[in-house]
Amino acid sequence: AQSVTQLGSHVSVSEGALVLLRCNYSSSVPPYLFWYVQYPNQGLQLLLKYTSAATLVKGINGFEAEFKKSETSFHLTKPSAHMSDAAEYFCAVSGRGFKTIFGAGTRLFVKA
Amino acid sequence: DAMVIQNPRYQVTQFGKPVTLSCSQTLNHNVMYWYQQKSSQAPKLLFHYYDKDFNNEADTPDNFQSRRPNTSFCFLDIRSPGLGDAAMYLCATSSPQLVPDNEQFFGPGTRLTVL
């Protein structure tokens, strides 16, 4: 069965610093992996996704993620944090029966 | 722009008073989902429709029902809301035939308050 684990329920960075949000997955088949962002009182918005075309995936708002099969990881990074990046981030994997399995989420705080 | 629309964005109801939340989509996706999301938690899938086929999650309370009268619309009915049903309700769509990774497209959500 597929699953995702997000390490760290809260991450705090200074504006301009590197953002690193960690996600590890478990899947018996080659996975489809996603990162979604959620701003307060909003729905989820897709940041990027891995579909096996390329291991380094670039997304919106300057985010990117690297698929590492050997480490079963799909960590999200951004070189320089902006105040507007403060939000909740969810890693997810496509599961059976058209379902998406979400991680518990990581709240990103950006300090001025 | 193609999108997923949820109405209302904020809904207040009284304990035990039935409430209906609405979702519509202009993406022409054949799968529609309803999620419940409580504060600082991941979305929890309640059920989904594949075309007209309804798929209920095993742990979804009987208090929650859904209707999909056509491709574009899907409704969430909460028959007797309890205080524990206060949450954000998210509607999402996907089209696995067109997009094999089954990327889901989310609406803005409806925040339900139960008094």
Side-chain angles (χ1 to χ4, degrees):
Chain A
Q2 288 96 336
S3 66
V4 290
T5 302
Q6 292 185 240
L7 301 176
S9 59
H10 297 83
V11 170
S12 182
V13 299
S14 298
E15 192 173 21
L18 172 71
V19 176
L20 171 59
L21 304 182
R22 299 177 187 273
C23 174
N24 288 89
Y25 70 90
S26 172
S27 178
S28 57
V29 298
Y32 294 126
L33 294 162
F34 308 86
W35 275 101
Y36 287 90
V37 61
Q38 185 177 33
Y39 299 101
N41 287 314
Q42 295 291 327
L44 275 66
Q45 180 184 3
L46 183 72
L47 275 177
L48 49 81
K49 62 182 180 181
Y50 169 75
T51 59
S52 77
T55 56
L56 182 62
V57 182
K58 294 188 183 297
I60 62 171
N61 301 339
F63 284 93
E64 63 182 37
E66 187 171 7
F67 174 74
K68 292 187 176 180
K69 185 177 179 180
S70 60
E71 299 177 8
T72 62
S73 68
F74 190 56
H75 302 331
L76 182 70
T77 60
K78 181 175 181 177
S80 177
H82 192 272
M83 297 296 288
S84 60
D85 296 326
E88 186 90 23
Y89 291 81
F90 292 97
C91 182
V93 63
S94 274
R96 289 186 175 183
F98 312 110
K99 298 179 187 178
T100 296
I101 314 299
F102 289 93
T106 298
R107 182 164 296 276
L108 177 65
F109 297 92
V110 182
K111 299 175 290 185
Chain B
D1 285 343
M3 55 176 50
V4 181
I5 301 161
Q6 290 188 245
N7 286 305
R9 293 294 316 280
Y10 300 89
Q11 176 74 56
V12 180
T13 190
Q14 293 181 335
F15 182 94
K17 184 175 181 181
V19 66
T20 294
L21 308 183
S22 170
C23 178
S24 64
Q25 54 134 339
T26 60
L27 297 161
N28 203 32
H29 285 174
N30 59 333
V31 189
M32 294 187 75
Y33 308 79
W34 278 106
Y35 290 88
Q36 180 192 64
Q37 186 182 27
K38 296 191 175 181
S39 183
S40 299
Q41 295 184 20
K44 178 181 181 297
L45 183 64
L46 295 173
F47 25 61
H48 75 276
Y49 276 93
Y50 189 106
D51 294 324
K52 294 186 177 180
D53 292 335
F54 177 70
N55 298 271
N56 198 33
E57 293 300 295
D59 58 353
T60 297
D62 293 340
N63 198 27
F64 291 86
Q65 304 287 322
S66 186
R67 297 170 283 134
R68 189 179 186 186
N70 54 52
T71 301
S72 301
F73 285 86
C74 196
F75 300 98
L76 171 62
D77 301 308
I78 308 176
R79 293 193 296 191
S80 182
L83 298 179
D85 297 328
M88 173 75 92
Y89 289 87
L90 297 168
C91 176
T93 71
S94 73
S95 181
Q97 297 102 320
L98 293 177
V99 184
D101 56 45
N102 203 42
E103 174 188 341
Q104 292 189 14
F105 294 76
F106 285 82
T110 295
R111 181 161 298 282
L112 178 67
T113 300
V114 181
L115 301 177

